[in-house]
Amino acid sequence: MVFSELGAVYDGPVVQTQDLTVFNITKEAVVVRQAKVSDQLPPIPGVPSVGYTPVQPKPPAWWAEAIIPVD
C-alpha cells in the first residue's frame, strides 16, 4: 500500500530498510538519519480505565558518537 501511494507522486528508486534508517534526498543533499519512534502504543479513543503516561525510551549509548548537530 505504501509503495502504491508513493508511486502516485514519485517515479524513482525506493529502498526499504528494517533498521529505521531514513534517507531524505533532494537536489541539494542526501541526509541519512534514524527514525524517531515510540515503543508504546498510542492511547485508545474513549474514556480511559487506567492512566496512560508516555515514556521516552533512553537512546543506546552508541548514539552519542553518531549524533549530527542540527541548527
Side-chain angles (χ1 to χ4, degrees):
M1 189 164 72
V2 171
F3 288 111
S4 64
E5 290 182 14
L6 182 61
V9 296
Y10 175 74
D11 185 28
V14 176
V15 176
Q16 180 178 3
T17 64
Q18 295 179 355
D19 62 354
L20 302 177
T21 301
V22 177
F23 297 89
N24 295 111
I25 302 172
T26 66
K27 292 180 181 180
E28 294 78 29
V30 175
V31 177
V32 180
R33 61 186 172 84
Q34 289 296 124
K36 182 177 180 181
V37 297
S38 174
D39 290 335
Q40 293 183 332
L41 296 174
I44 297 172
V47 178
S49 58
V50 296
Y52 173 80
T53 305
V55 176
Q56 182 66 26
K58 184 177 178 182
W62 64 266
W63 277 16
E65 298 172 6
I67 291 177
I68 299 171
V70 177
D71 295 333

Short mmCIF file of all heavy atoms in Angstrom, two decimals:
data_model
loop_
_atom_site.label_atom_id
_atom_site.label_comp_id
_atom_site.label_asym_id
_atom_site.label_seq_id
_atom_site.Cartn_x
_atom_site.Cartn_y
_atom_site.Cartn_z
N MET A 1 0.81 -1.18 0.00
CA MET A 1 0.00 0.00 0.00
C MET A 1 0.87 1.26 0.00
O MET A 1 0.58 2.21 -0.71
CB MET A 1 -0.92 -0.02 1.23
CG MET A 1 -1.96 1.06 1.19
SD MET A 1 -3.33 0.82 2.34
CE MET A 1 -2.54 1.16 3.89
N VAL A 2 1.95 1.26 0.79
CA VAL A 2 2.84 2.42 0.84
C VAL A 2 3.48 2.65 -0.52
O VAL A 2 3.55 3.78 -1.00
CB VAL A 2 3.91 2.23 1.93
CG1 VAL A 2 4.96 3.32 1.84
CG2 VAL A 2 3.29 2.21 3.30
N PHE A 3 3.94 1.59 -1.16
CA PHE A 3 4.61 1.73 -2.45
C PHE A 3 3.64 2.23 -3.54
O PHE A 3 4.03 3.00 -4.41
CB PHE A 3 5.28 0.43 -2.88
CG PHE A 3 6.49 0.11 -2.07
CD1 PHE A 3 6.50 -0.96 -1.20
CD2 PHE A 3 7.64 0.88 -2.16
CE1 PHE A 3 7.62 -1.26 -0.45
CE2 PHE A 3 8.76 0.60 -1.41
CZ PHE A 3 8.75 -0.47 -0.55
N SER A 4 2.38 1.80 -3.49
CA SER A 4 1.44 2.27 -4.50
C SER A 4 1.14 3.76 -4.29
O SER A 4 1.04 4.51 -5.26
CB SER A 4 0.15 1.46 -4.48
OG SER A 4 -0.53 1.62 -3.25
N GLU A 5 1.03 4.21 -3.05
CA GLU A 5 0.82 5.63 -2.78
C GLU A 5 2.05 6.45 -3.18
O GLU A 5 1.94 7.52 -3.75
CB GLU A 5 0.48 5.87 -1.32
CG GLU A 5 -0.89 5.36 -0.94
CD GLU A 5 -1.23 5.63 0.51
OE1 GLU A 5 -0.53 6.44 1.17
OE2 GLU A 5 -2.19 5.04 1.00
N LEU A 6 3.22 5.93 -2.87
CA LEU A 6 4.46 6.62 -3.23
C LEU A 6 4.59 6.73 -4.75
O LEU A 6 4.97 7.76 -5.28
CB LEU A 6 5.66 5.87 -2.65
CG LEU A 6 7.03 6.48 -2.89
CD1 LEU A 6 7.13 7.87 -2.28
CD2 LEU A 6 8.10 5.58 -2.31
N GLY A 7 4.25 5.66 -5.44
CA GLY A 7 4.34 5.65 -6.90
C GLY A 7 3.42 6.65 -7.58
O GLY A 7 3.65 7.03 -8.72
N ALA A 8 2.40 7.11 -6.87
CA ALA A 8 1.48 8.10 -7.43
C ALA A 8 2.14 9.48 -7.54
O ALA A 8 1.71 10.30 -8.34
CB ALA A 8 0.22 8.20 -6.58
N VAL A 9 3.18 9.73 -6.73
CA VAL A 9 3.81 11.06 -6.73
C VAL A 9 5.31 11.02 -7.01
O VAL A 9 5.94 12.05 -7.18
CB VAL A 9 3.58 11.79 -5.38
CG1 VAL A 9 2.11 12.07 -5.18
CG2 VAL A 9 4.13 10.98 -4.23
N TYR A 10 5.89 9.81 -7.07
CA TYR A 10 7.34 9.69 -7.24
C TYR A 10 7.65 8.52 -8.16
O TYR A 10 7.13 7.42 -7.96
CB TYR A 10 8.01 9.49 -5.87
CG TYR A 10 9.49 9.24 -5.93
CD1 TYR A 10 10.38 10.26 -6.22
CD2 TYR A 10 10.02 7.97 -5.70
CE1 TYR A 10 11.75 10.04 -6.26
CE2 TYR A 10 11.37 7.73 -5.75
CZ TYR A 10 12.23 8.77 -6.03
OH TYR A 10 13.59 8.55 -6.07
N ASP A 11 8.49 8.77 -9.16
CA ASP A 11 8.82 7.73 -10.12
C ASP A 11 10.32 7.49 -10.12
O ASP A 11 10.99 7.71 -11.11
CB ASP A 11 8.34 8.13 -11.52
CG ASP A 11 8.55 7.02 -12.54
OD1 ASP A 11 8.56 5.84 -12.14
OD2 ASP A 11 8.73 7.33 -13.73
N GLY A 12 10.86 7.07 -8.99
CA GLY A 12 12.30 6.86 -8.88
C GLY A 12 12.58 5.65 -8.00
O GLY A 12 11.66 4.95 -7.58
N PRO A 13 13.86 5.41 -7.71
CA PRO A 13 14.22 4.25 -6.89
C PRO A 13 13.74 4.42 -5.44
O PRO A 13 13.70 5.53 -4.92
CB PRO A 13 15.74 4.21 -6.98
CG PRO A 13 16.14 5.59 -7.34
CD PRO A 13 15.02 6.17 -8.14
N VAL A 14 13.37 3.31 -4.82
CA VAL A 14 12.92 3.30 -3.43
C VAL A 14 13.66 2.19 -2.71
O VAL A 14 13.80 1.09 -3.24
CB VAL A 14 11.40 3.06 -3.34
CG1 VAL A 14 10.96 2.94 -1.89
CG2 VAL A 14 10.64 4.16 -4.05
N VAL A 15 14.15 2.48 -1.51
CA VAL A 15 14.81 1.48 -0.68
C VAL A 15 14.03 1.36 0.62
O VAL A 15 13.74 2.37 1.26
CB VAL A 15 16.27 1.88 -0.37
CG1 VAL A 15 16.91 0.88 0.58
CG2 VAL A 15 17.07 2.00 -1.64
N GLN A 16 13.69 0.13 1.00
CA GLN A 16 13.01 -0.08 2.27
C GLN A 16 14.00 -0.68 3.25
O GLN A 16 14.64 -1.69 2.96
CB GLN A 16 11.83 -1.03 2.10
CG GLN A 16 11.07 -1.28 3.38
CD GLN A 16 9.89 -2.20 3.16
OE1 GLN A 16 9.65 -2.70 2.07
NE2 GLN A 16 9.14 -2.44 4.21
N THR A 17 14.17 -0.03 4.40
CA THR A 17 15.11 -0.52 5.40
C THR A 17 14.35 -1.13 6.57
O THR A 17 13.18 -0.86 6.77
CB THR A 17 16.02 0.61 5.93
OG1 THR A 17 15.21 1.57 6.59
CG2 THR A 17 16.79 1.27 4.80
N GLN A 18 15.05 -1.94 7.35
CA GLN A 18 14.43 -2.57 8.51
C GLN A 18 14.99 -2.02 9.81
O GLN A 18 14.56 -2.41 10.87
CB GLN A 18 14.64 -4.08 8.45
CG GLN A 18 13.94 -4.71 7.28
CD GLN A 18 14.18 -6.21 7.21
OE1 GLN A 18 14.94 -6.76 7.97
NE2 GLN A 18 13.51 -6.86 6.28
N ASP A 19 15.96 -1.12 9.74
CA ASP A 19 16.59 -0.60 10.95
C ASP A 19 16.19 0.84 11.24
O ASP A 19 16.85 1.53 11.98
CB ASP A 19 18.11 -0.71 10.83
CG ASP A 19 18.66 0.11 9.68
OD1 ASP A 19 17.87 0.67 8.91
OD2 ASP A 19 19.89 0.18 9.56
N LEU A 20 15.09 1.30 10.66
CA LEU A 20 14.54 2.64 10.87
C LEU A 20 15.42 3.74 10.29
O LEU A 20 15.33 4.88 10.68
CB LEU A 20 14.27 2.89 12.36
CG LEU A 20 13.31 1.91 13.02
CD1 LEU A 20 13.19 2.22 14.49
CD2 LEU A 20 11.96 1.91 12.36
N THR A 21 16.27 3.39 9.31
CA THR A 21 17.06 4.41 8.62
C THR A 21 16.17 5.14 7.64
O THR A 21 15.39 4.54 6.91
CB THR A 21 18.24 3.76 7.87
OG1 THR A 21 19.05 3.07 8.82
CG2 THR A 21 19.08 4.80 7.16
N VAL A 22 16.29 6.47 7.61
CA VAL A 22 15.50 7.31 6.70
C VAL A 22 16.47 8.08 5.82
O VAL A 22 17.42 8.67 6.31
CB VAL A 22 14.62 8.29 7.49
CG1 VAL A 22 13.87 9.21 6.55
CG2 VAL A 22 13.66 7.54 8.39
N PHE A 23 16.24 8.05 4.51
CA PHE A 23 17.04 8.82 3.56
C PHE A 23 16.17 9.95 3.02
O PHE A 23 15.14 9.70 2.41
CB PHE A 23 17.48 7.95 2.37
CG PHE A 23 18.38 6.81 2.76
CD1 PHE A 23 17.85 5.59 3.13
CD2 PHE A 23 19.75 6.96 2.72
CE1 PHE A 23 18.67 4.53 3.46
CE2 PHE A 23 20.58 5.91 3.06
CZ PHE A 23 20.04 4.70 3.43
N ASN A 24 16.57 11.20 3.27
CA ASN A 24 15.89 12.35 2.68
C ASN A 24 16.75 12.84 1.53
O ASN A 24 17.89 13.26 1.74
CB ASN A 24 15.70 13.47 3.71
CG ASN A 24 14.77 13.04 4.82
OD1 ASN A 24 15.20 12.86 5.94
ND2 ASN A 24 13.51 12.83 4.52
N ILE A 25 16.22 12.75 0.31
CA ILE A 25 17.01 13.06 -0.89
C ILE A 25 16.40 14.27 -1.59
O ILE A 25 15.22 14.27 -1.93
CB ILE A 25 17.05 11.86 -1.83
CG1 ILE A 25 17.65 10.65 -1.10
CG2 ILE A 25 17.83 12.19 -3.09
CD1 ILE A 25 17.57 9.36 -1.85
N THR A 26 17.23 15.29 -1.79
CA THR A 26 16.81 16.46 -2.55
C THR A 26 17.87 16.73 -3.61
O THR A 26 18.91 16.06 -3.65
CB THR A 26 16.68 17.71 -1.64
OG1 THR A 26 17.97 18.07 -1.16
CG2 THR A 26 15.73 17.45 -0.49
N LYS A 27 17.66 17.73 -4.44
CA LYS A 27 18.67 18.09 -5.44
C LYS A 27 19.93 18.62 -4.79
O LYS A 27 21.01 18.53 -5.35
CB LYS A 27 18.11 19.13 -6.41
CG LYS A 27 17.03 18.60 -7.30
CD LYS A 27 16.52 19.68 -8.24
CE LYS A 27 15.41 19.13 -9.11
NZ LYS A 27 14.88 20.14 -10.04
N GLU A 28 19.80 19.19 -3.59
CA GLU A 28 20.94 19.81 -2.91
C GLU A 28 21.73 18.85 -2.02
O GLU A 28 22.92 19.02 -1.82
CB GLU A 28 20.48 20.98 -2.04
CG GLU A 28 19.91 22.16 -2.80
CD GLU A 28 18.48 21.92 -3.27
OE1 GLU A 28 17.75 21.17 -2.60
OE2 GLU A 28 18.10 22.50 -4.30
N ALA A 29 21.08 17.83 -1.44
CA ALA A 29 21.78 16.98 -0.47
C ALA A 29 21.05 15.67 -0.26
O ALA A 29 19.87 15.53 -0.58
CB ALA A 29 21.89 17.72 0.86
N VAL A 30 21.78 14.72 0.32
CA VAL A 30 21.21 13.46 0.80
C VAL A 30 21.47 13.43 2.30
O VAL A 30 22.62 13.51 2.74
CB VAL A 30 21.86 12.24 0.12
CG1 VAL A 30 21.33 10.95 0.74
CG2 VAL A 30 21.62 12.26 -1.37
N VAL A 31 20.41 13.32 3.09
CA VAL A 31 20.53 13.28 4.54
C VAL A 31 20.06 11.92 5.02
O VAL A 31 18.97 11.47 4.66
CB VAL A 31 19.69 14.39 5.21
CG1 VAL A 31 19.77 14.30 6.72
CG2 VAL A 31 20.14 15.76 4.72
N VAL A 32 20.90 11.24 5.81
CA VAL A 32 20.57 9.93 6.35
C VAL A 32 20.39 10.09 7.85
O VAL A 32 21.21 10.71 8.51
CB VAL A 32 21.69 8.91 6.05
CG1 VAL A 32 21.33 7.55 6.62
CG2 VAL A 32 21.94 8.81 4.56
N ARG A 33 19.29 9.54 8.38
CA ARG A 33 19.02 9.68 9.80
C ARG A 33 18.26 8.46 10.30
O ARG A 33 17.78 7.66 9.51
CB ARG A 33 18.22 10.94 10.07
CG ARG A 33 16.87 10.96 9.37
CD ARG A 33 16.15 12.29 9.53
NE ARG A 33 14.96 12.36 8.71
CZ ARG A 33 13.77 11.89 9.06
NH1 ARG A 33 13.61 11.30 10.23
NH2 ARG A 33 12.74 12.00 8.24
N GLN A 34 18.18 8.33 11.61
CA GLN A 34 17.38 7.28 12.22
C GLN A 34 16.00 7.84 12.53
O GLN A 34 15.88 8.95 13.04
CB GLN A 34 18.03 6.80 13.53
CG GLN A 34 19.30 6.00 13.35
CD GLN A 34 19.08 4.71 12.61
OE1 GLN A 34 19.72 4.49 11.62
NE2 GLN A 34 18.20 3.86 13.06
N ALA A 35 14.98 7.07 12.23
CA ALA A 35 13.61 7.49 12.54
C ALA A 35 13.42 7.51 14.05
O ALA A 35 13.98 6.68 14.77
CB ALA A 35 12.61 6.55 11.89
N LYS A 36 12.63 8.46 14.52
CA LYS A 36 12.31 8.54 15.94
C LYS A 36 10.95 7.89 16.14
O LYS A 36 9.96 8.34 15.57
CB LYS A 36 12.28 10.00 16.39
CG LYS A 36 12.00 10.18 17.85
CD LYS A 36 12.06 11.64 18.22
CE LYS A 36 11.78 11.83 19.69
NZ LYS A 36 11.81 13.25 20.06
N VAL A 37 10.92 6.82 16.92
CA VAL A 37 9.68 6.10 17.15
C VAL A 37 9.50 5.86 18.64
O VAL A 37 10.45 5.94 19.42
CB VAL A 37 9.66 4.75 16.41
CG1 VAL A 37 9.72 4.93 14.92
CG2 VAL A 37 10.79 3.87 16.87
N SER A 38 8.29 5.57 19.02
CA SER A 38 7.99 5.22 20.41
C SER A 38 7.56 3.77 20.43
O SER A 38 6.77 3.33 19.59
CB SER A 38 6.89 6.12 20.95
OG SER A 38 6.50 5.69 22.24
N ASP A 39 8.05 3.02 21.41
CA ASP A 39 7.67 1.62 21.53
C ASP A 39 6.28 1.44 22.14
O ASP A 39 5.74 0.35 22.13
CB ASP A 39 8.69 0.87 22.39
CG ASP A 39 10.03 0.72 21.69
OD1 ASP A 39 10.06 0.75 20.45
OD2 ASP A 39 11.04 0.57 22.38
N GLN A 40 5.73 2.53 22.68
CA GLN A 40 4.42 2.43 23.31
C GLN A 40 3.32 2.67 22.29
O GLN A 40 3.46 3.48 21.38
CB GLN A 40 4.29 3.45 24.43
CG GLN A 40 5.21 3.16 25.60
CD GLN A 40 4.99 4.16 26.72
OE1 GLN A 40 4.59 5.28 26.48
NE2 GLN A 40 5.26 3.72 27.93
N LEU A 41 2.21 2.00 22.49
CA LEU A 41 1.05 2.20 21.63
C LEU A 41 0.38 3.52 22.00
O LEU A 41 0.42 3.93 23.16
CB LEU A 41 0.06 1.06 21.81
CG LEU A 41 0.55 -0.32 21.39
CD1 LEU A 41 -0.48 -1.37 21.77
CD2 LEU A 41 0.80 -0.34 19.90
N PRO A 42 -0.24 4.18 21.04
CA PRO A 42 -0.96 5.41 21.37
C PRO A 42 -2.20 5.09 22.20
O PRO A 42 -2.69 3.97 22.19
CB PRO A 42 -1.34 5.97 20.00
CG PRO A 42 -1.34 4.79 19.10
CD PRO A 42 -0.30 3.83 19.64
N PRO A 43 -2.72 6.08 22.92
CA PRO A 43 -3.94 5.84 23.71
C PRO A 43 -5.10 5.46 22.80
O PRO A 43 -5.19 5.92 21.67
CB PRO A 43 -4.20 7.18 24.38
CG PRO A 43 -2.97 7.99 24.20
CD PRO A 43 -2.21 7.41 23.05
N ILE A 44 -5.99 4.66 23.33
CA ILE A 44 -7.18 4.26 22.59
C ILE A 44 -8.27 5.30 22.86
O ILE A 44 -8.48 5.69 24.00
CB ILE A 44 -7.65 2.86 23.05
CG1 ILE A 44 -6.55 1.84 22.72
CG2 ILE A 44 -8.97 2.47 22.40
CD1 ILE A 44 -6.79 0.48 23.29
N PRO A 45 -8.98 5.76 21.79
CA PRO A 45 -10.04 6.75 22.00
C PRO A 45 -11.11 6.24 22.96
O PRO A 45 -11.40 5.05 23.03
CB PRO A 45 -10.62 6.95 20.61
CG PRO A 45 -9.58 6.46 19.67
CD PRO A 45 -8.83 5.40 20.40
N GLY A 46 -11.68 7.16 23.70
CA GLY A 46 -12.75 6.81 24.64
C GLY A 46 -12.35 7.18 26.05
O GLY A 46 -11.34 7.85 26.28
N VAL A 47 -13.11 6.73 27.00
CA VAL A 47 -12.83 7.01 28.40
C VAL A 47 -11.82 5.99 28.90
O VAL A 47 -12.07 4.78 28.87
CB VAL A 47 -14.13 6.93 29.24
CG1 VAL A 47 -13.82 7.17 30.71
CG2 VAL A 47 -15.16 7.91 28.72
N PRO A 48 -10.62 6.47 29.34
CA PRO A 48 -9.60 5.52 29.79
C PRO A 48 -9.97 4.87 31.12
O PRO A 48 -10.54 5.50 32.00
CB PRO A 48 -8.35 6.38 29.93
CG PRO A 48 -8.84 7.76 30.12
CD PRO A 48 -10.16 7.85 29.42
N SER A 49 -9.67 3.59 31.24
CA SER A 49 -9.91 2.89 32.51
C SER A 49 -8.67 2.92 33.39
O SER A 49 -8.76 2.69 34.59
CB SER A 49 -10.34 1.44 32.24
OG SER A 49 -9.35 0.78 31.50
N VAL A 50 -7.53 3.19 32.80
CA VAL A 50 -6.28 3.34 33.55
C VAL A 50 -5.53 4.53 32.98
O VAL A 50 -5.75 4.92 31.83
CB VAL A 50 -5.39 2.07 33.48
CG1 VAL A 50 -6.05 0.89 34.13
CG2 VAL A 50 -5.02 1.75 32.06
N GLY A 51 -4.64 5.09 33.78
CA GLY A 51 -3.86 6.23 33.31
C GLY A 51 -2.83 5.83 32.27
O GLY A 51 -2.34 4.70 32.27
N TYR A 52 -2.52 6.73 31.37
CA TYR A 52 -1.52 6.49 30.33
C TYR A 52 -0.49 7.60 30.39
O TYR A 52 -0.82 8.77 30.25
CB TYR A 52 -2.18 6.47 28.94
CG TYR A 52 -1.21 6.38 27.79
CD1 TYR A 52 -0.65 5.16 27.43
CD2 TYR A 52 -0.84 7.52 27.08
CE1 TYR A 52 0.24 5.08 26.37
CE2 TYR A 52 0.05 7.45 26.02
CZ TYR A 52 0.59 6.22 25.67
OH TYR A 52 1.47 6.14 24.63
N THR A 53 0.74 7.24 30.65
CA THR A 53 1.82 8.21 30.69
C THR A 53 2.89 7.77 29.71
O THR A 53 3.56 6.75 29.93
CB THR A 53 2.43 8.30 32.11
OG1 THR A 53 1.39 8.59 33.03
CG2 THR A 53 3.49 9.38 32.17
N PRO A 54 3.08 8.50 28.60
CA PRO A 54 4.13 8.13 27.65
C PRO A 54 5.51 8.21 28.31
O PRO A 54 5.77 9.09 29.12
CB PRO A 54 4.02 9.18 26.54
CG PRO A 54 2.66 9.78 26.71
CD PRO A 54 2.32 9.66 28.15
N VAL A 55 6.36 7.28 27.95
CA VAL A 55 7.72 7.23 28.49
C VAL A 55 8.69 7.30 27.32
O VAL A 55 8.61 6.49 26.39
CB VAL A 55 7.96 5.94 29.29
CG1 VAL A 55 9.39 5.86 29.77
CG2 VAL A 55 6.97 5.85 30.45
N GLN A 56 9.58 8.30 27.34
CA GLN A 56 10.59 8.42 26.29
C GLN A 56 11.68 7.39 26.52
O GLN A 56 12.34 7.40 27.55
CB GLN A 56 11.18 9.84 26.31
CG GLN A 56 12.20 10.10 25.22
CD GLN A 56 11.60 10.06 23.83
OE1 GLN A 56 10.42 10.31 23.63
NE2 GLN A 56 12.40 9.74 22.85
N PRO A 57 11.90 6.46 25.58
CA PRO A 57 12.95 5.47 25.77
C PRO A 57 14.32 6.11 25.72
O PRO A 57 14.54 7.08 24.98
CB PRO A 57 12.76 4.49 24.60
CG PRO A 57 11.95 5.22 23.60
CD PRO A 57 11.18 6.28 24.32
N LYS A 58 15.24 5.59 26.52
CA LYS A 58 16.60 6.10 26.54
C LYS A 58 17.34 5.59 25.31
O LYS A 58 17.31 4.39 25.02
CB LYS A 58 17.31 5.64 27.81
CG LYS A 58 18.69 6.20 27.98
CD LYS A 58 19.31 5.77 29.29
CE LYS A 58 20.72 6.33 29.39
NZ LYS A 58 21.37 5.89 30.62
N PRO A 59 18.00 6.48 24.54
CA PRO A 59 18.73 6.01 23.35
C PRO A 59 19.94 5.17 23.74
O PRO A 59 20.51 5.35 24.82
CB PRO A 59 19.15 7.30 22.65
CG PRO A 59 19.12 8.35 23.70
CD PRO A 59 18.12 7.92 24.72
N PRO A 60 20.37 4.26 22.88
CA PRO A 60 21.55 3.45 23.18
C PRO A 60 22.79 4.33 23.29
O PRO A 60 22.88 5.40 22.68
CB PRO A 60 21.66 2.49 22.00
CG PRO A 60 20.70 2.96 20.97
CD PRO A 60 19.78 3.94 21.59
N ALA A 61 23.77 3.89 24.05
CA ALA A 61 24.99 4.67 24.31
C ALA A 61 25.73 5.03 23.02
O ALA A 61 26.29 6.11 22.90
CB ALA A 61 25.90 3.90 25.26
N TRP A 62 25.72 4.13 22.02
CA TRP A 62 26.49 4.40 20.80
C TRP A 62 25.94 5.56 20.00
O TRP A 62 26.62 6.14 19.16
CB TRP A 62 26.60 3.15 19.92
CG TRP A 62 25.29 2.64 19.39
CD1 TRP A 62 24.50 1.68 19.95
CD2 TRP A 62 24.62 3.05 18.20
NE1 TRP A 62 23.38 1.48 19.19
CE2 TRP A 62 23.43 2.31 18.09
CE3 TRP A 62 24.90 3.98 17.20
CZ2 TRP A 62 22.53 2.45 17.06
CZ3 TRP A 62 24.00 4.12 16.15
CH2 TRP A 62 22.83 3.37 16.09
N TRP A 63 24.69 5.96 20.25
CA TRP A 63 24.12 7.10 19.53
C TRP A 63 24.87 8.39 19.82
O TRP A 63 24.91 9.28 18.99
CB TRP A 63 22.66 7.29 19.89
CG TRP A 63 21.72 6.40 19.11
CD1 TRP A 63 22.05 5.30 18.39
CD2 TRP A 63 20.31 6.56 18.98
NE1 TRP A 63 20.93 4.74 17.83
CE2 TRP A 63 19.86 5.49 18.18
CE3 TRP A 63 19.41 7.47 19.48
CZ2 TRP A 63 18.51 5.34 17.85
CZ3 TRP A 63 18.08 7.31 19.15
CH2 TRP A 63 17.63 6.25 18.35
N ALA A 64 25.44 8.52 21.02
CA ALA A 64 26.15 9.75 21.40
C ALA A 64 27.26 10.05 20.40
O ALA A 64 27.52 11.22 20.09
CB ALA A 64 26.69 9.62 22.81
N GLU A 65 27.92 9.02 19.89
CA GLU A 65 29.01 9.22 18.93
C GLU A 65 28.48 9.49 17.53
O GLU A 65 29.19 10.03 16.69
CB GLU A 65 29.89 7.97 18.89
CG GLU A 65 30.58 7.68 20.21
CD GLU A 65 31.30 6.35 20.20
OE1 GLU A 65 31.37 5.71 19.13
OE2 GLU A 65 31.77 5.94 21.25
N ALA A 66 27.22 9.14 17.25
CA ALA A 66 26.67 9.26 15.90
C ALA A 66 25.76 10.48 15.73
O ALA A 66 25.25 10.71 14.65
CB ALA A 66 25.89 7.99 15.56
N ILE A 67 25.58 11.25 16.79
CA ILE A 67 24.67 12.40 16.71
C ILE A 67 25.22 13.46 15.76
O ILE A 67 26.38 13.82 15.83
CB ILE A 67 24.44 13.01 18.10
CG1 ILE A 67 23.63 12.03 18.95
CG2 ILE A 67 23.72 14.35 18.01
CD1 ILE A 67 23.41 12.50 20.37
N ILE A 68 24.36 13.94 14.89
CA ILE A 68 24.71 15.02 13.98
C ILE A 68 23.98 16.26 14.47
O ILE A 68 22.75 16.28 14.53
CB ILE A 68 24.28 14.70 12.53
CG1 ILE A 68 24.99 13.44 12.05
CG2 ILE A 68 24.55 15.88 11.61
CD1 ILE A 68 24.48 12.91 10.72
N PRO A 69 24.71 17.31 14.87
CA PRO A 69 24.04 18.51 15.39
C PRO A 69 23.14 19.14 14.34
O PRO A 69 23.46 19.19 13.17
CB PRO A 69 25.20 19.44 15.73
CG PRO A 69 26.45 18.65 15.63
CD PRO A 69 26.15 17.44 14.84
N VAL A 70 21.99 19.63 14.79
CA VAL A 70 21.04 20.30 13.92
C VAL A 70 20.90 21.73 14.41
O VAL A 70 20.62 21.96 15.58
CB VAL A 70 19.67 19.59 13.94
CG1 VAL A 70 18.68 20.33 13.08
CG2 VAL A 70 19.81 18.16 13.50
N ASP A 71 21.10 22.70 13.52
CA ASP A 71 20.98 24.10 13.92
C ASP A 71 19.57 24.57 13.83
O ASP A 71 18.79 24.23 13.07
CB ASP A 71 21.85 24.99 13.03
CG ASP A 71 23.33 24.66 13.23
OD1 ASP A 71 23.69 24.18 14.32
OD2 ASP A 71 24.10 24.88 12.29
#
